[in-house]
Structures are given as structure tokens and as C-alpha cells.
Amino acid sequence: MSQSRKLHVKSFGCQMNVYDSLRMADTLASEGFVETDTPEDAELVILNTCHIREKAAEKVYSELGRIRKLKEAAARDGRRVMIAVAGCVAQAEGEEIIRRAPAVDLVVGPQSYHRLPDLVARAASERIVDTEFPAEDKFDFLKGPSRDKTRARGVTAFVTVQEGCDKFCTFCVVPYTRGAEFSRPVAKIVAEIERLADAGVREVTLIGQNVNAYHGEGPDGRPWTLGELLHRVSTIGGIARLRYTTSHPSDMDETLIAAHRDLPCLMPYLHLPLQSGSDRILAAMNRRHTLGDYLAVITRMRAARSDLALSSDFIVGFPGETEEDFRASLEVVDQVGYAGAFSFKYSPRPGTPAATMEQVPEEVKAERLQRLQKAIDRNQAAFNAGCHGHTFDVLLEKPGRHAGQLVGRSPYLQPVQVMAPASLIGEIVPVTILEIASNSLFGELAAPAGRMANDDAAPTRGPAESNAGARGADAQARQQGRTRHASVREEGDVIAARA
Ligand code: 5AD
Ligand code: SF4
């Protein structure tokens, strides 16, 4: 093993990138690289980039400007700093990155991360661009973290189960940057989650660009659905909570809906992007479903799990979107009563069909975005207000803002601050919500800490049961024409696996 060298990985965009950044660090750890939080003292800086919208892609170049200065300063001190660009900008722009930012030593696409040790070694003497889709499965070669490292990363973890997309929505670069759909075999996912559980992880989010299109090989040799995979993963000792993201409405099959009905550990919170409330625009987007299909899925989901809350992604100003089309998106926000949602101005992406369609003026997009965000915020605030006085199961994750406080997540992913001893980190405890702030809930433990410290794998009460009160509030809220299905969310919080 070579001498210890420092590595800084900065992740942009979605959870897929967060997961990949960890795997890159784990793979390079065996080459003697030790992670550092700051780029200043790093010998290798990796920017793991996002290409979903122009703004995201441009961020990379401003970051590269900053890192270049660090590289130059280090060179004056006789120190060599290597800069690598990974992720979807790397895949989409390849050589162009080095033309625009000559300080970059290595460009590596998402399918080649397992080759990093070799690529980094070669980049010491030549510029390297590797954006191939190699025949081998990178997951077979990417290293996992040590037990200590997993412990240090906390009690929640992402696990990639699926990558790529075959849907080809006309606005989206994903099918081009991440390639065709690929699902990992069940046995490999289970083994990875068993290792995480062994190191104290309690909550796992299965991630994929199109996670509910999952069709990995099962132990019986047959392709398993996401619903079947969730059933299997729910049996792993120590794993108390499951989530998955991001889903496509047309892939919500019966087995997945049944998993929501049958698995108390599957959290009642679903990110199901709609993109537009207008059937005309959905067709132009090639979304392969209508608003009616989407609403029917929600009805089935709510029948399976009555305390389900939803979030979504919306695009405003897609080519051809009229005021009437846009109003349909506004209306559906109130109709579904989203827990929270991300909204974006349409951003033309090179090489995608919508980029060459007739564009909506920028000022129209900006104005629509503001109106949509207002509607989303209104729903979110109503949901948070509806949480007041209710008791939720909270997975305590880490120290909170103030001494003696811990922060955890509600079933709906809301951050909850609560006074509790550090010994409860990793436990799922009932917390009564007493105060609602714009980005957090504040609560108190609803049962004596001593008993909860002995809490084991499964929550003492399933989320459905512990949210019984909240469900009552839900019904009441709907009667009053408002909704409690909102959550504490901000842009930049990564919930969608693609952005
Ligand atoms: N412009 C704006 N938003 C986009 N998204 C994907 N592609 C684009 C684009 N070209 C949004 C979609 C998707 C989320 C991850 O990002 O809403 O669900
Ligand atoms: Fe695939 Fe989702 Fe992109 Fe559509 S929006 S092409 S479903 S990744």
C-alpha cells in the first residue's frame, strides 16, 4: 500500500452522486487515500458533478476556478494537486471539460469509477478522459467501506439498486449520461445492506434514477420487482426503516403497492414526480402517463397506506406550455396536497429532444416558478402545522443544534430536534411535536428514555400506528379544504435521485 494521501470529494446533485462519492472514496482508500473535508490540504480533489440543468452544470466550472487557484498555490509550495471531474458533466462533456478548464487532470464518467485507482495513477503523467460504458459491472469492483467508516457515517445510508433510465423523457439528460437501465442482483444488495446493518445502520434508502423499474436477478434466477426486493430487505436484522427513490408513476406495480400495505418499516412517504398537471405537456414530455393515471396510482397507494404523504418534482415553462397548461400544474398541487415538492424552470439540455422545441420566454418561466412555489409552500406549511401536537416515531441520527439536543427524522423525512441523551442515537423513539419552525420540528420524548434505549430492530410501534393521531388530523384537514401533506424541505435537500 502506498503512503497516505489526502482526498477531497465534493458531490453535486442527487443521492446517486452522494452514494457514488462514498464508493469512490472507499475504492481509493485501498490505494492509501484518506478523506479530508477541505480541498485546501488535498492531493486529489474529485468534483462529482450533475448535468440535469444548465445551472447545475455551470456550478462545476465556477468550482473548478476556485480549485485551480488552490492547485496553483500548492504548486508554488512544491506540492502537486490532481483535479478530477466525475459524474454526469464528465459523461456529457468529456474532453470539453479539459478544453474549458485545463487545470483538470482526469475526467471520469459514472460507469468507470471502479477503474479510479488505475486512472489516478496514469493521470500523474498524462491527461485522462474515460467516459466509456465498459462491459464489466462496476459494482463488482467498487469497494465498500470498513465497519468503522460505516459507523462514522451514521445510522442512515443510501444503497444504489438500479442505475440508468430507458424512459427518454424529452427534457432529461439521464438516459444519455447514465445509460440504459441496469439493476443489481438481489443477493449483492442484501449482502451490502447486511454489512451496513452490522455496523449500526438503521435506515436504508434504496436509490436509482428509476428505482421502481428495478428488475434485478433474484435468488431464484427470476427478475425481482422492487416490491419483492423491499420484502427481502425488510427481513435483515437491525434495519428498522426503508425508503426508496426516485420512482416513475408508470412503474408503481402491484407488488410495490402491496409492500406499502404489508411492511410497517417502509416509510409512508413517497417521492413521485409528476412534472406537469397538463396531459398535453405530459405527452410532449413523453412521460407515458396522463394526470388521471397518476391520480389513480395515488388513490391506490393511499388505499394501501392511509398515512402516506407525497412529494413531487415539477417543471415550469416546458416548450409549448400555455398559461392554461401551467394552471393545471398549480391545481394539482392543491388537489394532491403534496407534502413538499421541487419545482424547476425548464432548462434546455443539449442533445435532448425538447431543447430544439419552441422555448417559453425566461420571464414567463420565472413568473410561473414563483406562483408554483407559493402553492407548494402553502401546502408544506399546512402539513407542518398539522403535525403540531402529534407523536411520531423519530430515528435519532446525531447531535442537534444545541447542547443536549439530538436531531432525527420523522417518517416524512422532516428534521426533528429533541432533548435526548446521546446514547439514544440510532434509536427510534416516539416524539411529540411541540413547535414548528420553517425547516425543523421541535419535540419532546414521549416515553421514558430508559425503556427506549432498549428498543431493538423494529420500532416499538409501527409508523402507521404511531401516526394514528396524524391520520385523524389529515381527515380533518381535508374536510377544511387544506392539507397536512407537506414537509420541511428546501431546494438543495437531495430527495430526488436525479437532481
Ligand atoms: N430542466 C428542468 N428540470 C429538469 N429536471 C430534469 N431535467 C430537467 C430539465 N431539463 C427535473 C425533473 C426531474 C428532476 C430530478 O429534475 O423535475 O424529476
Ligand atoms: Fe428517465 Fe426520469 Fe429522466 Fe424521465 S425524468 S428520462 S424517467 S430519469
Side-chain angles (χ1 to χ4, degrees):
M1 197 202 269
S2 45
Q3 226 187 342
S4 140
R5 296 178 280 172
K6 287 194 176 162
L7 161 72
H8 176 74
V9 189
K10 180 158 183 177
S11 211
F12 298 83
C14 68
Q15 287 134 331
M16 303 288 289
N17 273 7
V18 174
Y19 177 86
D20 287 348
S21 292
L22 294 176
R23 287 293 80 75
M24 283 193 257
D26 296 336
T27 301
L28 288 167
S30 55
E31 303 298 304
F33 279 98
V34 176
E35 273 183 274
T36 168
D37 289 342
T38 52
E40 281 77 11
D41 56 343
E43 198 173 310
L44 171 60
V45 177
I46 301 180
L47 301 183
N48 194 8
T49 62
C50 170
H51 199 248
I52 198 98
R53 285 169 292 275
E54 192 181 355
K55 239 192 196 162
E58 283 305 313
K59 251 191 222 165
V60 177
Y61 288 101
S62 51
E63 190 65 21
L64 279 173
R66 267 197 296 277
I67 308 284
R68 175 176 57 91
K69 289 197 185 114
L70 293 180
K71 179 171 175 155
E72 288 165 356
R76 286 194 290 274
D77 293 342
R79 216 162 49 81
R80 167 98 199 256
V81 173
M82 190 180 286
I83 304 178
V85 176
C88 294
V89 178
Q91 188 64 44
E93 296 188 5
E95 306 243 346
E96 174 64 17
I97 295 176
I98 292 183
R99 264 195 294 278
R100 270 184 77 176
V104 171
D105 301 278
L106 168 63
V107 175
V108 53
Q111 305 310 323
S112 302
Y113 295 156
H114 56 300
R115 297 178 180 166
L116 265 174
D118 173 52
L119 295 173
V120 168
R122 283 170 48 211
S125 52
E126 55 175 323
R127 289 243 171 76
I128 309 269
V129 176
D130 185 342
T131 52
E132 281 173 38
F133 281 84
E136 72 263 23
D137 173 6
K138 70 173 173 185
F139 290 103
D140 283 344
F141 299 93
L142 283 171
K143 300 246 165 49
S146 65
R147 195 165 184 273
D148 286 348
K149 227 181 197 179
T150 304
R151 275 194 175 282
R153 285 175 184 168
V155 297
T156 63
F158 295 135
V159 173
T160 295
V161 301
Q162 178 279 339
E163 202 171 356
C165 182
D166 293 344
K167 296 275 191 305
F168 290 92
C169 299
T170 54
F171 53 79
C172 188
V173 284
V174 166
Y176 311 95
T177 56
R178 294 276 177 163
E181 263 173 29
F182 166 81
S183 298
R184 296 176 69 194
V186 171
K188 289 188 180 161
I189 295 165
V190 168
E192 183 170 338
I193 298 175
E194 281 172 347
R195 276 195 302 277
L196 292 170
D198 180 54
V201 166
R202 307 298 311 280
E203 174 180 306
V204 167
T205 305
L206 307 182
I207 56 173
Q209 263 99 24
N210 211 332
V211 73
N212 58 341
Y214 177 83
H215 58 275
E217 187 189 318
D220 51 5
R222 180 177 65 75
W224 277 26
T225 63
L226 184 64
E228 290 172 293
L229 176 67
L230 284 162
H231 270 277
R232 173 64 187 91
V233 171
S234 74
T235 64
I236 298 174
I239 299 299
R241 283 182 158 189
L242 291 175
R243 305 178 186 275
Y244 62 91
T245 199
T246 288
S247 298
H248 191 285
S250 348
D251 291 323
M252 297 300 299
D253 72 2
E254 279 309 324
T255 68
L256 190 49
I257 295 175
H260 279 274
R261 186 191 59 221
D262 301 335
L263 300 176
C265 65
L266 183 55
M267 291 294 96
Y269 189 55
L270 176 66
H271 184 64
L272 196 61
L274 173 59
Q275 314 298 359
S276 170
S278 153
D279 280 345
R280 216 175 58 81
I281 297 298
L282 287 173
M285 287 175 165
N286 190 31
R287 288 292 288 177
R288 303 155 188 249
H289 64 80
T290 60
L291 174 63
D293 298 333
Y294 179 88
L295 295 174
V297 168
I298 291 182
T299 303
R300 281 160 63 213
M301 290 291 296
R302 282 185 168 151
R305 186 82 204 232
S306 60
D307 58 347
L308 187 82
L310 288 133
S311 68
S312 181
D313 293 336
F314 286 96
I315 295 177
V316 301
F318 183 83
E321 186 189 66
T322 62
E323 172 64 21
E324 197 188 339
D325 292 320
F326 170 67
R327 284 211 185 132
S329 294
L330 269 185
E331 275 164 27
V332 82
V333 169
D334 287 331
Q335 187 181 352
V336 172
Y338 285 106
F342 291 108
S343 47
F344 310 102
K345 286 191 275 188
Y346 170 70
S347 167
R349 308 310 292 130
T352 58
T356 53
M357 298 176 187
E358 194 171 329
Q359 302 296 312
V360 170
E362 185 56 33
E363 60 278 12
V364 175
K365 286 188 207 172
E367 190 258 349
R368 286 181 188 167
L369 185 69
Q370 254 193 7
R371 283 158 68 198
L372 185 61
Q373 278 176 344
K374 244 192 188 161
I376 291 166
D377 289 350
R378 186 163 22 81
N379 278 279
Q380 186 168 320
F383 176 63
N384 292 336
C387 292
H388 192 271
H390 293 286
T391 301
F392 294 111
D393 280 337
V394 171
L395 170 58
L396 297 173
E397 291 182 15
K398 56 188 177 192
R401 287 187 207 151
H402 303 294
Q405 219 173 35
L406 297 182
V407 63
R409 296 269 178 176
S410 76
Y412 303 112
L413 268 183
Q414 299 149 299
V416 180
Q417 307 273 343
V418 57
M419 296 302 285
S423 59
L424 288 184
I425 290 177
E427 300 296 335
I428 292 168
V429 299
V431 172
T432 304
I433 305 304
L434 300 177
E435 200 186 319
I436 315 288
S438 60
N439 286 314
S440 293
L441 308 181
F442 294 84
E444 67 178 16
L445 294 177
R451 186 183 68 72
M452 289 179 303
N454 292 329
D455 190 8
D456 65 16
T460 45
R461 297 178 299 157
E465 197 185 322
S466 63
N467 285 319
R471 284 207 306 278
D474 203 10
Q476 202 183 348
R478 283 212 199 102
Q479 265 173 15
Q480 291 166 8
R482 65 185 172 85
T483 174
R484 58 174 295 280
H485 290 299
S487 84
V488 184
R489 271 286 154 60
E490 290 176 290
E491 246 252 63
D493 232 10
V494 272
I495 54 158
R498 293 180 312 281

